[in-house]
Amino acid sequence: DIQMTQSPSSLSASVGDRVTITCRSSQNIDYYLNWYQQKPGRAPKLLIFAASNLQSGVTSRFSGRGSGTDFTLTISSLQPEDSATYYCQQSVSTLVYTFGQGTRLEI
Amino acid sequence: EVQLVESGGGLVQPGGSLKLSCAASGFTFSGSPMHWVRQTSGKGLEWVGRIRSGANKYATKYAASVNGRFTISRDDSKNTAYLQMNSLKIEDTAIYYCCRPAKLGACDYWGQGTLVTVSS
C-alpha cells in the first residue's frame, strides 16, 4: 500500500500567520491527493481535492499544491477557527486509499 | 440536502460480529460508490474499504487490516450501505464513518459516525 507521511505532526501558530503542511507519498500518485480538516467530535471536512482544487464553500485562505509524491496545504491569515487536525489522503482509484497520520494545528 | 446516517454500533466481544448501516439521502445513491473510514480514540483516520456502484459491478476493496474479516455491501432499493464486521478484534474499536466519494475519490459528505467498542 502507498504510505502517506505528513509533517509536521503538530504545530502552533498565531492569528494572522501563514502555515504550510507537507504530505509525501511513497509512490507517484499524480494529483490524487485530498486534504481534510477535522475538529474534535466532528466528522472530517473536505478542504482540497485533486491536490489543488478548493472544495465548494471552503474559504480561499486554504490552498493546495503539488503532484507526484510531494504536496502542500497552505493556510494563509490564520484564524482561531482553523485550530484542528489536518489529514492528507491519496485516492488513486485502483489502490487502497490511505490517510496521512495527521497534523494538529493549534492557534 | 445530502445526508448520511450511520447506525448499528455498540459493544461486542472479541471474536464477535456486528453490522453497521449507512442510510443515504439527497443524492442518487445507486450511482455512487460508498466508502467506510474509521478513527480510533485519539488517533488518526484509517480508510476501511469501499464499494462501487452497480455499473461497476459492486466491486469492493479493503484495507489490509480488515481484509477477509469485513464485508461491504449495499442495497440500492433502500439507499443503504452496510459494513459487516466479523472476527472483531480489540483494535477494531473505533468510530466508523461512511462517506460519499464524489470528486476523484475525495469524500465530500460524511455521516456523523457510529462507535464500535470491542471488549470483553
Side-chain angles (χ1 to χ4, degrees), chain A residues 61-74:
Chain A
R61 294 188 296 101
F62 291 93
S63 63
R65 296 187 64 179
S67 66
T69 61
D70 294 298
F71 303 86
T72 59
L73 172 71
T74 297

Side-chain angles (χ1 to χ4, degrees), chain B residues 8-66:
Chain B
L11 175 63
V12 61
Q13 292 189 337
S17 297
L18 206 59
K19 187 173 185 177
L20 307 183
S21 299
C22 170
S25 61
F27 65 101
T28 305
F29 178 79
S30 61
S32 177
M34 293 297 294
H35 289 205
W36 287 91
V37 175
R38 68 184 180 183
Q39 184 165 37
T40 54
S41 176
K43 300 235 175 125
L45 301 170
E46 180 184 15
W47 185 83
V48 173
R50 59 93 169 136
I51 185 167
R52 287 181 166 167
S53 66
N56 290 288
K57 302 181 179 179
Y58 303 111
T60 54
K61 187 174 284 288
Y62 302 94
S65 58
V66 306

Side-chain angles (χ1 to χ4, degrees), chain A residues 1 31-32 34 36 38 42-44 46 49-50 55-56 87 89 91 93-97 99 101, chain B residues 35 37 39 43-47 50 52 61-64 97 103-108 110-112:
Chain A
D1 294 348
Y31 52 87
Y32 292 94
N34 313 304
Y36 298 89
Q38 188 181 32
R42 305 290 297 274
L46 178 64
F49 65 94
Q55 171 67 1
S56 175
Y87 295 93
Q89 178 208 30
S91 56
S93 64
T94 54
L95 301 176
V96 170
Y97 290 14
F99 288 92
Q101 80 278 17
Chain B
H35 289 205
V37 175
Q39 184 165 37
K43 300 235 175 125
L45 301 170
E46 180 184 15
W47 185 83
R50 59 93 169 136
R52 287 181 166 167
K61 187 174 284 288
Y62 302 94
Y97 297 98
K103 301 167 185 176
L104 298 174
C107 277
D108 58 351
W110 296 68
Q112 83 288 354

